[in-house]
């Protein structure tokens, strides 16, 4: 029997679902069927792919392995398909067909990257993701979403250009399109690494995450949080495992995410900055490069997608019911939105690594890997970051929205049933993975002989979170958000860069005018010279006597003969 993956890549199934949504825009019943069904069929197709190449094609003098299975591919593709299902259920009330269609194409592109067995196929699906994800942002149809979507697209097309340049250089050097572990030692590998890190939200272009994601709709942000940065993590694990530089980059991202999440006032931008923070954990593990660390990076990507989606669903529910994004305008919503509050708290505890949540079982692998490698300079920042995450997101974020004083005066209810169901299912996954870690560990490329629930590990983590909680209550007055604008690195190309362009443009116009004046003056002098000597009254236009002309000819011949014989 022919395998479905040999006929159509699993990611393309989800893309077809997106196209059907666009074609059947006037049929709500069809949407209600396609939104849950397409991801489920895709998930089934993902698990039909064996650990081998099942679809290939000729391209010039090369062979493209369009679908190639493997444990790591299956892990990421599985969570991407699950996230497409949960996101589709959550977005059932969304009236933008453009967003839903683009979201499924976006998710399909991410799954296509996971099963790509060569660099060209990977790049094609990579660019599909860039265009589709920008469309998800634009689908919010606001002035802010259009501008943010354009900036987002420019950044990701830049990353795509760097990636493609690196692939071209690599093929020219090696003649191979195969995906293989690399070390950045030449131009080709450096270009590929930088191109991938752009999508991961690495410095210095990390501001695009906080800039773009909050400008999408209440449902679009949920899709955006799941695919781009985690697909980049997948590619890093495949192409650049064990590159020590990644550890330093990851640590910088961890610190950056914490600082900017504490400074911001937008409930979804806080979560966007925490994406950078959590991807930093994954890159740290990728840089450590041991088997346990790589398992930890993959497991944390899986767990992060779940709890981050849950947090953004909770924030989206608040936005859907109140229309308010600013933390200073919210508070006290737990009384009227209890399900949303409980789900938000579960997601917040999961991202902080509280025992019995998905975040705990994945972070335990990373911190243990750092300890086993005797990397104290990595282990201490990771532990500190876990405590800080519990402060700024595990406690502060729910407190700002669901507890404290109700600054809005609104009493919204929990969102519609489909949104609530999506949140509850995601919360169940969060706790399910936390209670049953072997289900996640069994999906890893090398299932670890490791239990996160030893007495020492649990007590250590609870002590860490306890002291972090005490710090939160002691510093709570200082942690109140302020109505401020926080400048990020994007200021350099959004403001300073625009100023430089205008300044140099103005000076360029002036310089160009001066050059034009000089050129026109020279041209006028040349025309005057030509007219003086060749015009009707010019020296060379006069009538000459025949004898004078003959004398001139003889003189020229004499000069020629002298030069010739000499």
């Amino acid at each position: 029997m022919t395998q479905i993956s040999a006929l159509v890549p699993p990611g393309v199934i989800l893309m077809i679902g997106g196209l059907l949504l666009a074609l059947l825009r006037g049929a709500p019943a069809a949407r209600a069927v396609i939104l849950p069904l397409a991801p489920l069929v895709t998930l089934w197709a993902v698990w039909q792919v064996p650990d081998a190449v099942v679809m290939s094609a000729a391209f010039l003098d090369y062979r493209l392995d369009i679908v190639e299975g493997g444990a790591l591919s299956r892990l990421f593709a599985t969570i991407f398909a699950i996230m497409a299902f949960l996101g589709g259920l959550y977005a059932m009330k969304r009236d933008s067909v453009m967003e839903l269609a683009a979201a499924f194409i976006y998710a399909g592109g991410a799954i296509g990257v996971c099963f790509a067995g060569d660099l060209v196929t990977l790049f094609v699906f990579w660019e599909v993701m860039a265009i589709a994800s920008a469309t998800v942002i634009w689908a919010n149809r606001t002035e802010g979403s259009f501008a943010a979507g354009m900036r987002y697209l420019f950044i990701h097309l830049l990353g795509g250009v760097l990636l493609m340049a690196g692939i071209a250089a690599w093929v020219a050097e090696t003649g191979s399109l195969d995906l293989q572990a690399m070390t950045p030692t030449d131009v080709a590998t450096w270009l590929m690494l930088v191109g991938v890190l752009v999508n991961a939200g690495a410095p210095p272009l990390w501001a695009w995450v906080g800039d773009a994601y909050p400008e999408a709709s209440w449902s679009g942000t949920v899709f955006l949080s799941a695919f781009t940065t985690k697909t980049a993590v997948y590619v890093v694990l495949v192409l650049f495992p064990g590159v020590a530089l990644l550890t330093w980059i990851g640590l910088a991202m961890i610190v950056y995410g914490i600082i900017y999440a504490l400074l911001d006032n937008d409930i979804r931008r806080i979560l966007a900055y925490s994406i950078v923070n959590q991807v930093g954990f994954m890159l740290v593990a990728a840089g450590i490069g041991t088997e346990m660390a790589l398992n930890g990076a993959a497991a944390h990507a899986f767990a992060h997608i779940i709890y981050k989606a849950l947090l953004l669903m909770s924030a989206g529910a608040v936005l859907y019911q109140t229309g308010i994004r600013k933390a200073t305008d919210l508070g006290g919503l737990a009384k009227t939105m209890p399900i949303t509050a409980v789900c938000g708290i579960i997601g917040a505890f999961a991202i902080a690594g509280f025992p019995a949540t998905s975040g705990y079982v994945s972070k335990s692998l990373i911190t243990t890997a750092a300890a086993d490698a005797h990397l104290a300079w990595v282990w201490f920042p990771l532990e500190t970051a876990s405590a800080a995450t519990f402060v700024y997101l595990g406690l502060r974020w729910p407190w700002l929205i669901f507890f404290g004083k109700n600054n809005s005066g609104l009493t919204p209810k929990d969102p519609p049933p489909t949104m609530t169901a999506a949140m509850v299912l995601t919360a169940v996954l969060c706790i399910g993975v936390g209670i049953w870690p072997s289900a996640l560990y069994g999906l890893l490329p090398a299932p670890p002989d490791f239990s996160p629930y030893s007495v020492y590990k649990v007590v250590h983590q609870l002590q860490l979170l306890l002291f972090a909680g005490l710090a939160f209550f002691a510093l709570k007055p200082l942690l109140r958000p302020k109505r401020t604008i926080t400048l990020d690195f994007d200021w350099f190309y959004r403001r300073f860069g625009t100023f430089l362009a205008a300044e140099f443009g103005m000076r360029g116009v002036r310089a160009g005018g001066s050059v034009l004046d000089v050129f026109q003056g020279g041209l006028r002098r040349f025309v005057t010279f030509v007219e003086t000597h060749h015009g009707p009254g010019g020296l060379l236009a006069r009538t000459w006597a025949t004898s004078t002309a003959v004398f001139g000819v003889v003189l020229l011949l004499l000069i020629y003969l002298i030069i010739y014989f000499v």
Side-chain angles (χ1 to χ4, degrees):
M1 181 177 177
T2 303
Q3 294 172 336
I4 183 67
S5 55
L7 301 175
V8 56
V12 173
I13 297 175
L14 201 51
M15 292 181 178
I16 293 171
L19 294 175
L20 289 175
L21 286 171
L23 293 174
L24 302 174
R25 61 174 60 238
R31 180 199 299 187
V33 172
I34 294 172
L35 280 176
L37 186 61
L40 292 177
V41 173
T42 301
L43 180 61
W44 171 79
V46 164
W47 280 88
Q48 302 307 305
V49 181
D51 294 349
V53 177
V54 295
M55 178 183 286
S56 60
F59 175 71
L60 300 178
D61 295 329
Y62 303 94
R63 190 187 80 162
L64 303 184
D65 295 330
I66 300 172
V67 178
E68 181 177 4
L72 189 64
S73 302
R74 193 175 300 109
L75 172 75
F76 276 84
T78 296
I79 190 56
F80 288 159
I82 292 173
M83 193 58 244
F85 169 79
L86 294 171
L89 179 62
Y90 183 77
M92 194 74 74
K93 291 291 184 180
R94 178 73 169 129
D95 57 359
S96 174
V97 177
M98 172 183 173
E99 178 186 299
L100 298 176
F104 271 20
I105 294 172
Y106 175 34
I111 294 174
V113 169
C114 293
F115 285 117
D118 64 89
L119 292 168
V120 170
T121 302
L122 183 148
F123 175 76
V124 170
F125 283 113
W126 190 268
E127 292 303 281
V128 168
M129 287 178 59
I131 297 171
S133 54
T135 305
V136 171
I137 299 171
W138 289 328
N140 198 26
R141 297 185 181 278
T142 65
E143 184 178 345
S145 67
F146 175 77
M150 290 299 296
R151 292 189 295 270
Y152 174 94
L153 185 62
F154 288 153
I155 293 293
H156 287 277
L157 291 181
L158 170 62
V161 168
L162 294 173
L163 178 61
M164 187 68 251
I167 291 172
W170 175 261
V171 174
E173 292 175 8
T174 66
S176 173
L177 288 174
D178 295 339
L179 295 179
Q180 55 189 286
M182 306 175 184
T183 302
T185 55
D186 54 17
V187 173
T189 48
W190 274 112
L191 285 172
M192 282 191 278
L193 177 59
V194 173
V196 172
L197 289 178
V198 168
N199 271 27
L205 297 179
W206 41 20
W208 64 262
V209 181
D211 174 44
Y213 285 4
E215 296 302 329
S217 71
W218 51 269
S219 56
T221 307
V222 175
F223 287 108
L224 292 168
S225 71
F227 304 117
T228 298
T229 52
K230 266 60 74 180
T231 305
V233 170
Y234 166 78
V235 176
V236 165
L237 293 177
V238 172
L239 297 183
F240 301 103
V243 175
L245 177 64
L246 294 172
T247 301
W248 292 100
I249 293 174
L251 290 174
M253 293 170 67
I254 289 171
V255 175
Y256 164 89
I258 292 172
I259 292 174
Y260 276 87
L262 282 170
L263 293 174
D264 213 282
N265 186 31
D266 187 307
I267 60 172
R268 294 194 301 167
R269 185 165 282 113
I270 292 171
L271 298 177
Y273 282 124
S274 72
I275 292 175
V276 180
N277 166 268
Q278 296 298 298
V279 172
F281 277 84
M282 301 169 207
L283 292 187
V284 166
I288 294 173
T290 62
E291 184 179 274
M292 180 171 287
L294 297 178
N295 275 332
H300 198 51
F302 190 102
H304 173 262
I305 289 172
I306 298 172
Y307 62 65
K308 183 59 65 177
L310 181 57
L311 285 165
L312 285 166
M313 285 178 183
S314 300
V318 171
L319 180 62
Y320 182 86
Q321 294 294 87
T322 66
I324 298 173
R325 295 173 48 173
K326 300 298 183 182
T328 47
D329 298 332
L330 293 169
L333 299 184
K335 294 179 180 179
T336 58
M337 302 181 72
I339 298 177
T340 304
V342 170
C343 290
I345 292 170
I346 291 173
F349 275 42
I351 196 174
F354 201 88
T357 66
S358 58
Y360 171 72
V361 300
S362 59
K363 282 186 179 180
S364 296
L365 284 171
I366 298 175
T367 54
T368 302
D372 290 348
H374 306 291
L375 298 174
W377 61 274
V378 176
W379 184 85
F380 279 110
L382 292 180
E383 292 291 294
T384 304
S386 294
T389 302
F390 190 54
V391 171
Y392 84 85
L393 202 51
L395 296 174
R396 179 176 180 264
W397 190 81
W399 168 62
L400 292 175
I401 301 172
F402 301 114
F403 303 100
K405 182 181 178 181
N406 187 339
N407 297 310
S408 67
L410 301 175
T411 56
K413 302 298 182 182
D414 280 311
T418 51
M419 296 174 67
T420 302
M423 288 192 291
V424 171
L425 285 175
T426 309
V428 169
L429 272 177
C430 253
I431 297 175
V433 172
I435 295 175
W436 188 25
S438 58
L440 173 58
Y441 291 172
L443 297 177
L444 297 174
D449 183 15
F450 170 80
S451 174
Y453 286 108
S454 67
V455 174
Y456 167 77
K457 290 184 177 67
V458 173
V459 172
H460 167 77
Q461 187 69 4
L462 289 176
Q463 285 178 331
L464 184 72
L465 299 180
L466 173 63
F467 283 105
L470 293 175
F472 166 76
F473 286 105
L475 300 174
K476 192 163 68 170
L478 300 177
L479 296 176
R480 295 184 182 277
K482 298 177 176 58
R483 298 178 183 273
T484 59
I485 296 175
T486 306
L487 296 180
D488 204 337
F489 184 85
D490 58 340
W491 177 84
F492 285 98
Y493 56 83
R494 294 178 63 181
R495 299 298 184 193
F496 185 62
T498 304
F499 167 76
L500 287 181
E503 183 68 16
F504 280 103
M506 186 181 304
R507 294 182 182 277
V509 170
R510 292 172 182 170
S514 301
V515 171
L516 185 61
D517 290 342
V518 172
F519 176 76
Q520 289 176 339
L523 183 61
R524 283 194 295 268
R525 287 192 293 273
F526 175 74
V527 171
T528 302
F529 174 81
V530 171
E531 185 177 7
T532 300
H533 293 83
H534 297 275
L539 177 64
L540 299 178
R542 297 175 185 173
T543 302
W544 292 64
T546 303
S547 59
T548 304
V550 172
F551 175 77
V553 172
V554 171
L555 181 62
L556 290 174
L557 287 173
L558 180 62
I559 294 171
Y560 173 77
L561 289 173
I562 293 171
I563 294 173
Y564 177 79
F565 285 108
V566 171

